[in-house]
Amino acid sequence: MEITKYPKHLAIIMDGNGRWAKKQGLLRIFGHENGARSVRQTLEYCVEHKIPYLTLYAFSTENWNRPADEVKALMDLLVKFLKKEFDDLNKNNVRLNVIGNLDRFPDKTKEVLLNTIEKLKHNTGTTLTLALSYGAREELLTAAKHIANKVSKGDLAVENIDETLFKQHLYTSNLPDVDLLIRTSGECRISNFLLWQIAYAELYFTDVLWPDFTKKDLETALLSYQGRERRFGKISEQLT
């Protein structure tokens, strides 16, 4: 079956790197390294099929609790990925974006990340958003605090707070809501990812571990998405 309907905003929880490495008898970091290949293939597909927004859950706020050597390896891998992929990102007109709290990031990692974002900011193709040190609850609390601060200063009236205003205070204020959320590795939970933004998203769960996730697996997910009726609270007859 041909895919004729693509999501505007695709989000992916890239899960299963550690289990993939364990199955191969390797250290966990090798799973993350091989997962980068799946990132590349997925992004290439989005560029090719003009999917405007791709958001990847790369490092959660909870991931800081992992062993220090694994966290350091992940930071080093991010730097390596950005440097290695920069030319292709630029050639493919990809714009890079990041959401999350970067305060805890090593200076070197943050510098490379922000410099890459700056160099790619004028590109107009697919926007690749990396969720780094990201947690949806923290995001919502931060937004609430910013709004409360404006109210306390008299800069904002409570009656003017609505969904549009609240969204403007989220990390994703420059992104549309998610249309399709994919999670790999067989886990069927959201894990504190984009809780506001996936309110009406279609969810797709697959047993495939992230390093094994191919363009064919992505197409299977997209075909499932295409076959779903998105009613947004309406009934089928209203859509036609």
Side-chain angles (χ1 to χ4, degrees):
M1 182 183 297
E2 182 182 0
I3 300 174
T4 58
K5 183 178 74 173
Y6 293 94
K8 183 177 182 180
H9 187 175
L10 169 64
I12 304 178
I13 300 174
M14 307 179 293
D15 197 16
N17 291 331
R19 274 169 283 173
W20 182 91
K22 187 176 181 179
K23 285 177 63 178
Q24 314 297 321
L26 301 171
L27 296 174
R28 289 175 58 86
I29 190 58
F30 289 102
H32 298 298
E33 289 178 349
N34 280 272
R37 179 181 55 199
S38 298
V39 170
R40 189 179 305 111
Q41 290 184 16
T42 300
L43 180 58
E44 286 173 353
Y45 188 95
C46 289
V47 169
E48 180 183 354
H49 296 277
K50 295 180 171 58
I51 295 175
Y53 299 94
L54 171 64
T55 298
L56 303 176
Y57 203 6
F59 191 86
S60 73
T61 51
E62 292 80 13
N63 287 155
W64 289 112
N65 297 319
R66 291 188 175 185
D69 57 343
E70 181 175 347
V71 171
K72 182 182 183 303
L74 287 169
M75 295 297 107
D76 292 343
L77 181 60
L78 175 60
V79 170
K80 179 181 176 181
F81 175 83
L82 292 173
K83 290 182 176 180
K84 182 179 179 181
E85 300 297 325
F86 176 80
D87 288 342
D88 282 341
L89 291 172
N90 199 32
K91 181 180 68 176
N92 289 316
N93 199 26
V94 172
R95 187 167 71 95
L96 184 63
N97 184 44
V98 63
I99 56 174
N101 182 353
L102 302 184
D103 290 346
R104 296 176 66 179
F105 267 55
D107 290 340
K108 177 186 175 183
T109 306
K110 189 169 9 178
E111 180 184 0
V112 172
L113 176 62
L114 296 180
N115 283 344
T116 305
I117 290 172
E118 177 67 20
K119 291 176 181 177
L120 299 174
K121 70 178 182 180
H122 296 299
N123 289 346
T124 57
T126 297
T127 295
L128 170 63
T129 297
L130 301 178
L132 296 167
S133 190
Y134 173 87
R137 288 183 174 181
E138 181 180 71
E139 177 185 27
L140 294 171
L141 283 172
T142 300
K145 288 176 181 178
H146 286 165
I147 293 171
N149 187 49
K150 290 183 178 181
V151 172
S152 68
K153 289 182 177 180
D155 296 332
L156 177 66
V158 171
E159 56 268 23
N160 291 331
I161 301 173
D162 57 14
E163 287 191 13
T164 299
L165 184 139
F166 194 87
K167 183 178 178 180
Q168 291 170 356
H169 290 80
L170 296 174
Y171 298 149
T172 56
S173 58
N174 61 333
L175 302 175
D177 285 345
V178 175
D179 297 303
L180 172 62
L181 172 65
I182 298 173
R183 180 167 187 156
T184 58
S185 87
E187 304 292 354
C188 298
R189 55 180 177 268
I190 304 305
S191 295
N192 199 21
F193 185 48
L194 300 177
L195 297 180
W196 175 281
Q197 298 85 347
I198 64 168
Y200 281 101
E202 298 297 322
L203 308 181
Y204 181 87
F205 301 101
T206 174
D207 290 335
V208 177
L209 301 176
W210 178 246
D212 291 328
F213 191 81
T214 64
K215 291 182 180 180
K216 183 177 180 181
D217 295 309
L218 177 56
E219 287 187 331
T220 300
L222 292 171
L223 282 170
S224 175
Y225 169 79
Q226 178 173 278
R228 302 184 190 185
E229 184 179 68
R230 306 186 72 203
R231 296 191 295 273
F232 299 95
K234 298 179 180 180
I235 62 174
S236 299
E237 287 75 11
Q238 288 177 292
L239 301 179
T240 57

